[in-house]
């Protein structure tokens, strides 16, 4: 994980902007359980983590917005409660005194199809896509990727994106259970049904946004539910075509940080081009009375993540 030594020394300086972060709330009104690796999961407590996050963000009175990194409701949520549970969590986010920017994760899509989910999350894009960008101050642009653009989750079965994803999975994962990485070697272990890919149109869109950001002399923060660098994440949690996405990002010098969720333990790496990758720890895995959320201060030359409890504080200094 990145050094947090510089965080206190920078506190006296005025950031360009500050924003809140939380990931993988995965709320469900069900008893506590465990992941397939045996890690405890606290389904009812997770919404309390979110409530404390919103209260703290509001009390700070300096945060311009908040970013939710996906998976607000768990896949084990009873299907007759999916809609009401998503609405319940969204209401908690809406108590925040400012905009909330959402992205979709696999657990969101286990509960609701895109056409139901995106309006609830106020993600308004063309043809059910869930990627977009925004610039809260002139110097900084945020790019939110749709990591389930090509996916067997969330699209109708007959949708071209779903068909493409199924064909891809059949080629890459020979197991009858497509969420099993058995016999998959190294980075091939990412080819699982609960992951997805960024499609061709989205890659072209990303390229044009980064071109524009470069012309505008903006620094860019890329956000995606799925991690984009093997150094920050387990192999099983990576975006299927993270390499293609990073090829586009590395054409430019404007992207300084990539933030993600999905891999609940969290992580931090700096890739070969000096881009920081920070995967956020999950709210779902906080035992009662503990938290995993934070806020980020953005400066001209670095991002400072101030975490709470199980979310580790991290200093991310930009390369020139």
């Amino acid at each position: 994980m990145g050094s947090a030594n510089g965080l206190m020394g920078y506190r006296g300086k005025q950031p360009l902007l500050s924003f809140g972060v939380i990931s993988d709330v995965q709320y469900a009104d069900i008893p506590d359980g465990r992941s397939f690796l045996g890690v405890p999961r606290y389904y009812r407590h997770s919404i309390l983590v979110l409530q404390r996050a919103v209260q703290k963000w509001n009390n700070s009175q300096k945060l311009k917005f908040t970013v939710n990194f996906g998976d607000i409701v768990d896949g084990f949520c009873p299907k007759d409660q999916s809609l009401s549970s998503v609405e319940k969590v969204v209401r908690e986010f809406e108590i925040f005194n400012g905009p909330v920017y959402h992205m979709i994760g696999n657990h969101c899509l286990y509960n609701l199809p895109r056409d139901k989910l995106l309006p609830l999350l106020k993600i308004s894009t063309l043809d059910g896509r869930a990627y977009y960008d925004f610039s809260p101050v002139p110097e900084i642009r945020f790019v939110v990727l749709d990591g389930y653009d090509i996916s067997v989750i969330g699209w109708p079965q007959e949708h071209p994106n779903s068909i493409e994803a199924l064909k891809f999975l059949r080629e890459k994962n020979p197991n009858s259970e497509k969420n099993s990485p058995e016999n998959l070697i190294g980075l091939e272990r990412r080819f699982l049904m609960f992951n997805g890919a960024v499609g061709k149109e989205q890659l072209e869109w990303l390229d044009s946004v980064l071109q524009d950001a470069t012309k505008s002399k903006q620094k860019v923060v890329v956000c995606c539910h799925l991690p984009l660098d093997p150094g920050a994440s387990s192999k099983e949690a990576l975006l299927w075509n993270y390499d293609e996405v990073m090829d586009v990002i590395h054409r430019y010098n404007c992207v300084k940080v990539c933030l993600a969720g999905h891999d609940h333990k969290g992580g931090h790496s700096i890739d070969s081009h000096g881009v920081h990758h920070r995967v956020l720890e999950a709210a779902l895995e906080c035992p009662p009375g503990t938290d995993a959320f934070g806020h980020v201060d953005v400066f001209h030359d670095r991002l400072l993540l101030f975490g709470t409890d199980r979310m580790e504080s991290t200093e991310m200094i930009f390369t020139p």
Side-chain angles (χ1 to χ4, degrees):
M1 198 69 71
S3 164
N5 294 342
L7 268 64
M8 296 312 294
Y10 244 72
R11 269 208 186 273
K13 301 192 177 182
Q14 192 64 30
L16 294 169
L17 74 143
S18 301
F19 63 97
V21 292
I22 194 167
S23 190
D24 297 87
V25 173
Q26 288 182 224
Y27 166 73
D29 187 11
I30 57 174
D32 295 342
R34 291 180 181 271
S35 72
F36 66 94
L37 295 174
V39 179
R41 293 183 162 183
Y42 304 94
Y43 298 109
R44 291 184 176 124
H45 177 254
S46 66
I47 199 166
L48 303 181
V49 177
L50 173 60
Q51 288 169 349
R52 291 192 289 266
V54 171
Q55 184 177 26
K56 189 162 183 176
W57 295 333
N58 282 341
N59 287 345
S60 88
Q61 296 184 327
K62 70 168 190 172
L63 304 188
K64 210 171 182 74
F65 57 90
T66 284
V67 183
N68 158 44
F69 283 81
D71 280 0
I72 61 174
V73 173
D74 194 80
F76 283 127
C77 176
K79 292 300 164 271
D80 62 343
Q81 296 175 26
S82 287
L83 178 59
S84 61
S85 295
V86 169
E87 289 174 335
K88 181 175 180 175
V89 180
V90 168
R91 280 197 299 273
E92 295 297 339
F93 273 107
E94 288 177 347
I95 295 170
F96 174 65
N97 296 329
V100 179
Y101 295 98
H102 294 278
M103 63 200 79
I104 56 174
N106 51 311
H107 284 267
C108 307
L109 296 169
Y110 296 148
N111 280 276
L112 294 175
R114 282 172 176 262
D115 60 348
K116 297 271 197 313
L117 184 66
L118 297 191
L120 291 170
L121 300 179
K122 297 184 170 62
I123 299 174
S124 55
T125 58
L126 192 65
D127 298 330
R129 306 298 173 102
Y131 53 87
Y132 57 95
D133 68 307
F134 63 98
S135 186
V137 294
E139 304 96 323
I140 306 289
R141 188 179 297 203
F142 286 78
V143 173
V144 178
L145 298 179
D146 180 352
Y148 292 89
D149 188 7
I150 306 300
S151 169
V152 294
I153 317 164
W155 297 106
Q157 279 188 331
E158 67 279 4
H159 193 283
N161 293 20
S162 183
I163 293 167
E164 183 182 340
L166 195 56
K167 180 174 180 288
F168 179 87
L169 265 182
R170 284 174 177 154
E171 289 170 0
K172 298 290 187 181
N173 186 335
N175 299 312
S176 55
E177 169 49 66
K178 298 302 182 191
N179 272 328
S180 169
E182 193 177 351
N183 299 321
L184 297 178
I185 308 299
L187 290 169
E188 291 178 356
R189 294 176 71 82
R190 72 189 187 273
F191 299 130
L192 305 172
M193 191 182 284
F194 57 67
N195 297 329
V198 164
K200 185 173 179 290
E201 282 180 39
Q202 188 178 172
L203 284 171
E204 290 169 355
W205 169 84
L206 174 63
D207 188 74
S208 68
V209 169
L210 298 185
Q211 260 184 35
D212 187 65
T214 301
K215 285 178 194 162
S216 305
K217 296 184 167 54
Q218 291 175 315
K219 293 182 173 74
V220 176
V221 178
V222 171
C223 303
C224 184
H225 179 67
L226 291 157
L228 301 174
D229 186 67
S233 165
S234 64
K235 297 173 181 67
E236 293 84 359
L238 290 163
L239 186 82
W240 288 344
N241 64 334
Y242 78 88
D243 47 350
E244 288 185 299
V245 172
M246 292 312 302
D247 282 348
V248 174
I249 286 172
H250 288 156
R251 284 175 205 158
Y252 305 93
N253 194 38
C254 57
V255 176
K256 302 302 179 183
V257 176
C258 296
L259 301 175
H262 193 52
D263 192 9
H264 292 184
K265 69 183 184 302
H268 175 240
S269 65
I270 304 172
D271 70 24
S272 59
H273 287 65
V275 177
H276 287 265
H277 295 260
R278 180 67 171 89
V279 179
L280 303 175
E281 293 82 355
L284 173 67
E285 293 182 1
C286 293
T290 65
D291 291 315
F293 61 84
H295 80 269
V296 177
D297 287 349
V298 182
F299 297 88
H300 282 289
D301 65 342
R302 70 195 64 199
L303 252 66
L304 303 182
L305 166 60
F306 295 91
T308 305
D309 283 355
R310 294 171 66 85
M311 185 173 287
E312 191 165 336
S313 296
T314 313
E315 179 177 38
M316 292 166 267
I317 299 172
F318 305 156
T319 55

